[in-house]
Amino acid sequence: MPQILKMRNRLFFAFLVASLLPLCATAQMGGNYIYNFLNFNQSSRIAGLGGTLIAVYDEDPSLLIENPSLIGKRHHTSLLLNATDYFSNAAYGSALYSHTFKKAGSFAFSMQFVNFGKFSMTDESGTEMGYFHAGDYAATVGWGRQLDSNFTIGANLKLIYSGYESYQSFGIAADVAASYVNQKKRLALSLMIKNLGSPIVNYVPGQFEKIPFDIQLAFSQKFKFLPVRYHISLHSLYKWNMAYVGTNDPLLEYNVMTDEPVYPSKVVQFFDNMFRHVTVGIEIIPVKYLSIQFAYNHNCHQEMKIPQKRTFAGFSYGFTVDIKSIRIGFSRAHYATGAVPNFLNFSVNIDTLSKMSQSKKNRKLERIN
């Protein structure tokens, strides 16, 4: 009987993935998107590991917004606050609470916002007419379930609002994810189809706009005899070409004699495109309560580099401290020269902290008696 249940769960997992993959064919490739804030990192740990999907089966609630298949009982009563000092006067953040219900399962409820700041409103001649604000908001309900000792599934449902001066938009989107975890081999694998949906009310009536759809795959494994976990993440799997093509490339070189464009070889273009889909990172865990992260995102590096000099574009790093159910994370990501946002997380497990406090009181009473 256990073998039958195990096979049933695995077949369900395969069916879930197979049934969603045809949706990839309808996804638009390239172009511009609205609601790009849905791709902003809400976890300092994820930002420190390259900014794309990661697969780690532990108690960190900051992973739940971006990977709902990790939502589980171990996060029950976890409260999370995120804040990011973004570019210029812009800032964004989020809050999350996770709860497990006996019959309904494990959920994560979150709110995220982006405040782009205050802008001057002018007429055609440049005369100031006042000020306006711009911002994006999303309310998310995430659900996760463990199928057996190895497989978990999860989904996010997002309600989206965006307002720029008098332009407003409402939308709905969903993430669907599945994870495989092998604790004996200390490895985890996650597949996620991200931002399935569309705007319901457009900024301009009658003008359809796309949201930032993506397919991501993440793998992680901790070495047996080293306090190190490595991460490999693949993103934008629904399309191959990630680079600017032809004369659209702003970094394209020209022959000084003929003024003709000089294109990279086919081999160079192939490997550049391939590695643009890849993010690699490592976590160093010298002690149980400390994690130090480093990562490299090749696509970010290629998009943000300056040909005239070397930069740290695409590199990120951070740390997470976990002491007595209180977790603090900080990281920095280098996007371009002078554009290095700071990511800060604070989380606490209310139930665990309450039990620890009660246990401490009981020990004091025992000593008094």
Side-chain angles (χ1 to χ4, degrees), residues 7-230:
M7 182 62 70
R8 183 199 66 182
N9 288 335
R10 292 189 179 185
L11 287 173
F12 175 77
F13 171 81
F15 172 77
L16 175 70
V17 175
S19 63
L20 288 170
L21 284 178
L23 294 171
C24 308
T26 63
Q28 297 293 325
M29 297 176 64
N32 297 319
Y33 304 96
I34 61 172
Y35 309 152
N36 278 302
F37 78 102
L38 296 176
N39 287 331
F40 289 4
N41 291 135
Q42 301 297 329
S43 165
S44 67
R45 189 177 178 189
I46 291 178
L49 287 169
T52 54
L53 182 71
I54 69 170
V56 180
Y57 192 81
D58 62 15
E59 290 75 28
D60 187 356
S62 74
L63 309 180
L64 305 186
I65 296 179
E66 304 194 38
N67 190 347
S69 65
L70 300 178
I71 300 172
K73 295 180 180 179
R74 63 195 179 281
H75 303 113
H76 178 60
T77 70
S78 289
L79 177 65
L80 169 73
L81 299 175
N82 305 312
T84 300
D85 177 19
Y86 212 44
F87 307 132
S88 186
N89 293 326
Y92 71 86
S94 62
L96 175 142
Y97 175 74
S98 181
H99 199 95
T100 297
F101 302 92
K102 290 183 179 180
K103 294 184 179 180
S106 299
F107 289 83
F109 307 93
S110 63
M111 287 288 298
Q112 58 191 94
F113 74 92
V114 183
N115 179 11
F116 292 106
K118 187 169 68 171
F119 300 86
S120 297
M121 183 186 300
T122 64
D123 60 15
E124 293 84 351
S125 63
T127 304
E128 288 196 7
M129 302 173 62
Y131 299 92
F132 68 94
H133 292 80
D136 295 313
Y137 307 87
T140 303
V141 177
W143 168 84
R145 180 181 178 183
Q146 186 165 347
L147 298 179
D148 59 21
S149 59
N150 296 116
F151 289 95
T152 62
I153 58 173
N156 283 331
L157 179 63
K158 309 172 186 178
L159 299 178
I160 307 159
Y161 168 74
S162 179
Y164 305 139
E165 202 259 329
S166 61
Y167 297 92
Q168 297 181 335
S169 178
F170 294 88
I172 187 169
D175 305 328
V176 182
S179 292
Y180 169 80
V181 179
N182 190 322
Q183 295 186 358
K184 289 184 179 180
K185 295 184 178 180
R186 300 165 300 282
L187 64 84
L189 177 72
S190 288
L191 171 67
M192 183 166 72
I193 300 175
K194 186 174 183 180
N195 295 330
L196 289 162
S198 69
I200 300 172
V201 177
N202 293 295
Y203 296 106
V204 179
Q207 180 178 329
F208 178 77
E209 293 164 310
K210 300 170 289 185
I211 70 173
F213 173 86
D214 200 6
I215 301 176
Q216 300 180 358
L217 180 67
F219 175 83
S220 73
Q221 185 173 32
K222 186 178 179 182
F223 291 107
K224 186 175 182 179
F225 299 109
L226 284 175
V228 175
R229 178 188 290 115
Y230 67 89

Side-chain angles (χ1 to χ4, degrees), residues 297-313:
N297 185 319
H298 184 66
N299 185 58
C300 180
H301 175 77
Q302 292 295 84
E303 294 288 329
M304 298 294 182
K305 69 179 181 181
I306 300 175
Q308 290 77 16
K309 67 176 183 178
R310 293 184 180 181
T311 70
F312 287 100

